[in-house]
Amino acid sequence: MSSCVQLSNWRVLKIWKNEDMNLDKVFKATLSADVYSLHSIQNTEPLVLFREGAVQRLDALLAEPQQKIEAVISDEEVIKWAKLFMDSNEPVLIFVTEKHGNYFVYVQVFNPHNLHKYTLLCGEEETYSLSFAACVKERLVTLLCLSCNGCIYETLIPLNQGKLEEKQVLVTSLLLKTYVSGNVLKGLSFAILDKDHVAVMGTSLKAFKESISVWNTKFQTLQTSKELSQGTSGQLWCYGGKLFMLHGKFLTVIPFKCEISSLAAALGKLKNIQTPGTQTVSHFVNWGTFQGDGLESQDSNNLAPLKGQSKRSLRTRRNETKSQVEDSTNKEFLSGIKDASEKHLEQQLSKFLADKRTPEFQITVGHIVTELVERCKAEPAFYPQSNLVQLIQTQVLSYSLCPDLMAVALEKRDVHLLQLCLQQFPDIPESITCACLKVFLSIGDDSLEGTNINMESVIGYINFAQDKKMGKTEIVQNGFSPVLLEENNFDDKLNKPEDTMNTTLTCPVTPQKAALLNAILHSAYSETFLLPNLKDLTVHHVILFLQYLHFLYEKCSENASMTLPGPCPPTLNQIMDWICLLLDAHFTVVVMIPEAKGILTSLYKFVKAQVWVYSELNKIEGSLQQLQKLHQQRNKGLYSIEVLELI
């Protein structure tokens, strides 16, 4: 039984087995730094390459996901290519970086654990590299660089080296010029087929037609080529005697077989490309059909199989880590959670949090929360909210570390705890997010009075004193009315007195509920998994949430910056995304019911008014740009008065 690991949002690792059908239930681990790619070869431990150049083994990361990752490469240095190889039963990871047009090669070996850095000189000074490929054999790395001028350059890097100098320079030599009938082939990407053959995907500079071609690097000859009439993404992979590339909307699979290179075979290829030698047979395969061969349509950089020794479930991993923690000084505290009183637990927890944090702090906190939640499930009357809040505020927890915590909080309708989790957990499943939304929309306003809720996200645009006195929140718009603005009556509206232009906008929910809904707006989600869960909302909840989102949208429109005041309010993009999501999930129902007619009409009128305003601003954009140029060109001295007339 094989397992897979996938990278999402650059920091979240998802691990699942073949029988897992719901990604919400698979194990997730949130890392402390952005990942560039995942790498794995059969019978080796998967490796994780971070964007800052550090390389870690996957098992070590899963044992402590939030461990600090050191920066290996310099500032502004960006990884352009990376690949893992196996040589002499030892893994070798090679990656290339670029900074200000300069290229650097890093070679990471693991026995002993050393990282070598080289400066790469890629061909002519005016060229830059588009793609890289490499192979490793007998402790020698052959690195190929495809440049923008259609040339492939080669450099050799020996692995058996002692102490290197501080500045090692790799000089490349010209390996191949991709000339087709006197025309340069501008390469996009390429792959090594064997020691004497490469496949190059590129565009002819004269015809501007994309094609894939196979070249003999030993004799500098073109073996065969095929035009890609439907276009391509420029990505090319080679695995198991087959080339893989995207062609139009399909995946193209090209089986190939390379014979021993000889001059006769190379010349024969030029005369008749169908003679035996490098044989290429292409057939187009639909994505669904291609997956039937056992390969998944996932990014190869973000998907890697786990080796057999690492095939363990989340529960097993927790038990192994827990056994290590119980041997430490916290063993007594963990074992006493099952029967200790809440007062005693609070005292022990305060003592634990006051101590200096150890490397096992995050794991220990995760086990404490897990034990508390298990007891809450076994004893319905037991619910140490203050202890759970303290543990969440340590900012070392994530949903994957304690997945049952939010389920218990939802059962208890503990909106304070749910708000904290939404604000601090980056990996909450969309089903849990929607469950929190249902609780926030359905809970009574009386129940929220006196509840400890973080109000930072609403203090900038809601008047609490007025809300308490009048039972509603009033917001006065400054000179803009969200009504249907037509071109023939907009000037008349602008000429009206200011008092007639000010309209009162009422917030449809209390400030406490608004703060809870803002936590939902700030949460991360995937639209694919969120939409099915949003369909479970009732019509009343959909209308109420749409009204609040409409209120936020109108409030944003009062400012030229289209932002809400306050320390951490929802952004305009978040507001618009959630409006679109709700309408997508409930469009048929919302259009049919009379209760939704008012909010839909208001949204339509307001958006149409905004489109009209932006259209008018676009008309004078050219004039404003010319004025800015004039302002930059003239030297006005210390003091001047200018009159500019727009015609």
Side-chain angles (χ1 to χ4, degrees), residues 15-190:
I15 300 175
W16 72 92
K17 298 181 176 62
N18 291 337
E19 66 269 22
D20 293 330
M21 301 299 295
N22 190 348
L23 292 182
D24 291 340
K25 297 182 179 180
V26 302
F27 170 69
K28 298 179 183 179
T30 303
L31 307 180
S32 60
D34 289 349
V35 174
Y36 175 78
S37 58
L38 305 176
H39 299 272
S40 178
I41 295 181
Q42 189 175 5
N43 299 324
T44 64
E45 176 67 21
L47 300 176
V48 180
L49 174 61
F50 290 87
R51 287 189 173 183
E52 295 182 342
V55 181
Q56 294 282 349
R57 296 186 183 273
L58 182 61
D59 269 2
L61 280 176
L62 295 179
E64 190 179 357
Q66 288 295 311
Q67 60 181 279
K68 185 178 180 180
I69 304 300
E70 64 174 349
V72 174
I73 61 179
S74 60
D75 295 337
E76 300 181 6
E77 198 170 347
V78 180
I79 299 177
K80 292 296 185 180
W81 174 85
K83 191 171 182 180
L84 179 64
F85 301 90
M86 181 66 70
D87 184 59
S88 301
N89 296 323
E90 293 292 337
V92 179
L93 180 65
I94 304 172
F95 60 96
V96 179
T97 65
E98 184 268 341
K99 179 181 180 181
H100 303 316
N102 298 317
Y103 291 87
F104 306 93
V105 179
Y106 292 82
V107 179
Q108 175 75 68
V109 294
F110 300 89
N111 189 22
H113 195 283
N114 289 323
L115 178 65
H116 302 307
K117 178 181 178 180
Y118 306 87
T119 300
L120 182 64
L121 300 180
C122 299
E124 302 173 4
E125 295 182 358
E126 297 181 357
T127 65
Y128 59 91
S129 298
L130 295 174
S131 182
F132 298 89
C135 62
V136 181
K137 187 176 182 181
E138 298 178 354
R139 310 304 291 173
L140 182 66
V141 178
T142 302
L143 179 66
L144 304 184
C145 313
L146 175 63
S147 64
C148 61
N149 60 3
C151 296
I152 297 179
Y153 297 90
E154 178 188 47
T155 186
L156 302 178
I157 310 173
L159 295 179
N160 295 327
Q161 298 189 61
K163 185 177 181 181
L164 297 178
E165 299 177 2
E166 293 183 2
K167 293 185 179 180
Q168 284 286 106
V169 178
L170 297 176
V171 179
T172 59
S173 59
L174 181 62
L175 179 67
L176 175 70
K177 289 185 177 181
T178 57
Y179 286 95
V180 182
S181 300
N183 183 25
V184 177
L185 181 68
K186 183 180 180 181
L188 300 175
S189 61
F190 73 118

Side-chain angles (χ1 to χ4, degrees), residues 422-620:
L422 288 168
Q423 291 173 341
Q424 298 194 25
F425 292 177
D427 55 344
I428 299 176
E430 287 77 1
S431 58
I432 300 296
T433 301
C434 285
C436 294
L437 178 60
K438 293 178 187 178
V439 172
F440 295 163
L441 291 171
S442 61
I443 194 168
D445 296 337
D446 296 338
S447 302
L448 294 178
E449 292 185 3
T451 304
N452 186 10
I453 297 176
N454 187 347
M455 305 296 292
E456 285 186 354
S457 64
V458 298
I459 59 177
Y461 59 90
I462 291 184
N463 190 329
F464 293 90
Q466 190 177 34
D467 176 77
K468 185 175 181 180
K469 179 179 178 181
M470 301 181 60
K472 64 180 181 179
T473 303
E474 290 190 352
I475 304 296
V476 177
Q477 299 187 32
N478 298 322
F480 183 81
S481 176
V483 297
L484 182 60
L485 302 179
E486 303 293 345
E487 293 190 14
N488 56 0
N489 64 2
F490 185 62
D491 294 335
D492 296 335
K493 293 180 181 293
L494 291 178
N495 294 328
K496 290 183 179 181
E498 186 178 354
D499 293 341
T500 61
M501 289 294 292
N502 290 340
T503 59
T504 300
L505 178 65
T506 303
C507 181
V509 297
T510 61
Q512 291 80 6
K513 185 169 290 189
L516 296 176
L517 294 177
N518 287 352
I520 296 291
L521 299 182
H522 283 297
S523 61
Y525 64 86
S526 170
E527 183 177 337
T528 303
F529 301 110
L530 184 63
L531 277 174
N533 292 285
L534 281 178
K535 294 180 180 180
D536 295 335
L537 293 176
T538 64
V539 175
H540 171 72
H541 290 160
V542 172
I543 299 302
L544 180 61
F545 198 18
L546 276 176
Q547 289 173 344
Y548 176 65
L549 293 171
H550 177 225
F551 162 77
L552 293 179
Y553 181 50
E554 289 183 326
K555 188 59 184 168
C556 282
S557 302
E558 296 178 12
N559 302 322
S561 61
M562 296 296 288
T563 57
L564 291 170
C568 54
T571 64
L572 180 64
N573 287 338
Q574 290 171 339
I575 297 168
M576 293 303 301
D577 288 344
W578 275 92
I579 290 177
C580 296
L581 285 168
L582 284 176
L583 293 178
D584 287 344
H586 297 272
F587 181 76
T588 304
V589 177
V590 170
V591 170
M592 296 295 293
I593 60 174
E595 294 85 350
K597 183 177 180 180
I599 184 65
L600 290 179
T601 303
S602 182
L603 284 171
Y604 168 75
K605 291 180 178 180
F606 195 81
V607 172
K608 187 173 182 178
Q610 293 292 301
V611 171
W612 190 91
V613 171
Y614 286 124
S615 176
E616 294 299 309
L617 291 175
N618 287 332
K619 292 178 182 179
I620 64 172

